[in-house]
Structure formats: structure tokens, C-alpha cells
């Protein structure tokens, strides 16, 4: 029906992108809605515009290329799914354990203050601040999610200060575009861990502490201490390394 879907193999979910905009993450087998993501408004702090209409166009678009990385010379690329509105293109990439949502703003919005986007998160519990620029929440099934890696850059690849915060039950993303060359790109990531660990445990003489997401990949990491030696164990989709 003019929409797109993609599997999130690491967590057994399917991302569906309809012609009315936004994304829905559903259980691949039961069809249960786990999470809905939809941009509600954008613009300047003092003059937000409601995105009340559907995208003008939904299509597979450009290869995703973050600034500072060399483009692949050959072979397939990660095409973004693009949902185009007036002055704003919202785009998506699927990850094994989540989705990457981004926006390209074509020209400076009118008004004063930071460039701001407000995202409604359907099926989520209240967002809470975690370490650094990370926010956490639970979806309809109780699974924990993280919103992290909030990056923004301008047309020359220059980084722009970007911030994420809770706006009630919604996500608020703000970017300082002072001196930026347009268009600018804004890029948060939503991920869920496939395993969890308590804050503290002791096994075979080792003291293990939950360190949170140290390396920003969406999975909890551990700090282990044994005989005054300390090591960091990075979690992944299959749990801890051997």
C-alpha cells in the first residue's frame, strides 16, 4: 500500500513505514505494536510547526554517509527511507537492534532560538535521563530502549551542538545552528539491548558491576574486578564475550 517494512533481526521486530509518516516497530510474529515514532512538530523554539499532514513523498533515497567517513567505492549501500515534508526530510535506517531516525533541514527556520524537533513515542513509558546524552524508556512489552548518539552537522560536515531531552512523554531534540551552512542534518539512534544485567553481582571471586552503555552501542557493558585488576567487558547482541 505504498509503505515499506524492514526486519530488525537482532530483536525479532519489524519496522513499518506507512504513507502517513513515522515508523512503527511491531513484533515480527504476533504483530503486536511495541513502539511508534512520529515527528509531531519542528522549527525554532519560539515557533514550532505541527506536522499535521502526511509526507509529500515516501521513497528509498540517498546512501547514508556520516561526515568524516569515506564513501564506499563499490557494492551496495545503506539506502535511507525518506519521508519528505515542506522544508524537512525525515529519514530512517534500520539496525539489527533498533532504528536510526534523522532529519535534513533545507533552510534556516524562521523565529528565534534553537532548531527544535519534537517526536511522539507511542507505547513508551516515561523517558528518563541516563549517562551523558542518553535517554531511556520502556516500550509496551517492558523492554528497555535507549536514545543516544545525538549528532548534527552542516553542509560542510562541521559538527553542530545537539541535545536530547524529555518533553513529557515525547522526545525533544535541539540543535544550535549558529554559523551553520544549510542544509543541516540531525541524527539520533534508538536501540534496545538483547540482554540485561543487575547493577552488581559476584561470580567465582570476581566482582562485576553494570557500567551502563560505555561505548554507546546500545548494549550494557560490565566492569569486572579481581585481585585489584579491573577490566571492561563490552556487551553485544549475543550478550557478553567469552
Amino acid at each position: 500500500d505504498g509503505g515499506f517494512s524492514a526486519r530488525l533481526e537482532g530483536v525479532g521486530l519489524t519496522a513499518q513505514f506507512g504513507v502517513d509518516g513515522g515508523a512503527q516497530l511491531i513484533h515480527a510474529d504476533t504483530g503486536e505494536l511495541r513502539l511508534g515514532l512520529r515527528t509531531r512538530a519542528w522549527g525554532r523554539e519560539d515557533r514550532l510547526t505541527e506536522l499535521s499532514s502526511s509526507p509529500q513523498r515516501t521513497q528509498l533515497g540517498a546512501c547514508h554517509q556520516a561526515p568524516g567517513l569515506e564513501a564506499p567505492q563499490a557494492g551496495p549501500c545503506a539506502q535511507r527511507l525518506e519521508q519528505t515534508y515542506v522544508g524537512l526530510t525525515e529519514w530512517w535506517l534500520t539496525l539489527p537492534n533498533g532504528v536510526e531516525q534523522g532529519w535534513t533541514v533545507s533552510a534556516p527556520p524562521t523565529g528565534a532560538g534553537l532548531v527544535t524537533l519534537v517526536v511522539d513515542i507511542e507505547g513508551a513509558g516515561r523517558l528518563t535521563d541516563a549517562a551523558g546524552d542518553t535517554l531511556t524508556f520502556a516500550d509496551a512489552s517492558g523492554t528497555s530502549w535507549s536514545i543516544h548518539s545525538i549528532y548534527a552537522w552542516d553542509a560542510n560536515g562541521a559538527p553542530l551542538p545537539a541535545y536530547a531531552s524529555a518533553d513529557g512523554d515525547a522526545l525533544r531534540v535541539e540543535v544550535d545552528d549558529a554559523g551553520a551552512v544549510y542544509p543541516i542534518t540531525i541524527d539520533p539512534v534508538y536501540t534496545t539491548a538483547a540482554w540485561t544485567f543487575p547493577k552488581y553481582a559476584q561470580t567465582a571471586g570476581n566482582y562485576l558491576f553494570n557500567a551502563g552503555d560505555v561505548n554507546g552501542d546500545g548494549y550494557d557493558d560490565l566492569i569486572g574486578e579481581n585481585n585489584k585488576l579491573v577490566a571492561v567487558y563490552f556487551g553485544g547482541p549475543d550478550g557478553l564475550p567469552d
Side-chain angles (χ1 to χ4, degrees):
D1 299 324
F4 293 81
S5 66
R7 290 293 299 271
L8 281 58
E9 298 289 354
V11 288
L13 299 178
T14 296
Q16 293 186 342
F17 308 92
V19 294
D20 57 346
Q24 290 190 323
L25 308 186
I26 66 172
H27 192 281
D29 297 323
T30 67
E32 173 195 6
L33 174 66
R34 291 291 181 83
L35 200 63
L37 301 167
R38 185 180 179 87
T39 303
R40 185 204 325 149
W42 77 286
R44 297 282 183 190
E45 287 178 289
D46 69 337
R47 193 178 299 179
L48 293 178
T49 299
E50 296 285 330
L51 281 185
S52 56
S53 61
S54 299
Q56 295 176 330
R57 184 172 61 253
T58 299
Q59 64 182 15
L60 290 175
C63 296
H64 182 62
Q65 189 64 45
L69 298 178
E70 294 184 3
Q73 298 301 309
C77 72
Q79 275 186 282
R80 306 188 312 197
L81 180 70
E82 298 179 349
Q83 299 170 331
T84 304
Y85 302 85
V86 176
L88 178 74
T89 297
E90 183 174 27
W91 50 264
W92 304 85
L93 290 168
T94 54
L95 309 172
N97 64 324
V99 292
E100 185 172 352
Q101 178 188 29
W103 303 273
T104 300
V105 183
S106 59
T110 58
L114 302 178
V115 176
T116 302
L117 298 110
V118 180
V119 181
D120 286 330
I121 305 180
E122 181 184 359
R126 193 165 189 84
L127 276 69
T128 56
D129 291 309
D133 62 354
T134 300
L135 296 173
T136 61
F137 62 92
D139 68 15
S141 71
T143 301
S144 178
W145 288 77
S146 298
I147 304 171
H148 57 94
S149 303
I150 310 295
Y151 297 116
W153 59 92
D154 74 0
N156 293 330
L160 304 174
Y163 318 93
S165 61
D167 186 356
D169 293 333
L171 169 69
R172 188 180 186 92
V173 176
E174 298 174 313
V175 177
D176 186 348
D177 65 336
V181 178
Y182 273 76
I184 66 170
T185 303
I186 308 159
D187 186 11
V189 175
Y190 305 77
T191 57
T192 181
W195 68 285
T196 58
F197 192 83
K199 290 184 178 179
Y200 165 83
Q202 182 178 8
T203 59
N206 294 307
Y207 294 90
L208 299 175
F209 301 87
N210 188 336
D213 186 8
V214 174
N215 58 348
D217 64 353
Y219 299 101
D220 279 350
D221 306 311
L222 299 184
I223 293 177
E225 185 273 327
N226 189 357
N227 294 327
K228 299 183 179 180
L229 296 177
V230 176
V232 177
Y233 302 93
F234 295 111
D238 299 319
L240 288 174
D242 293 334

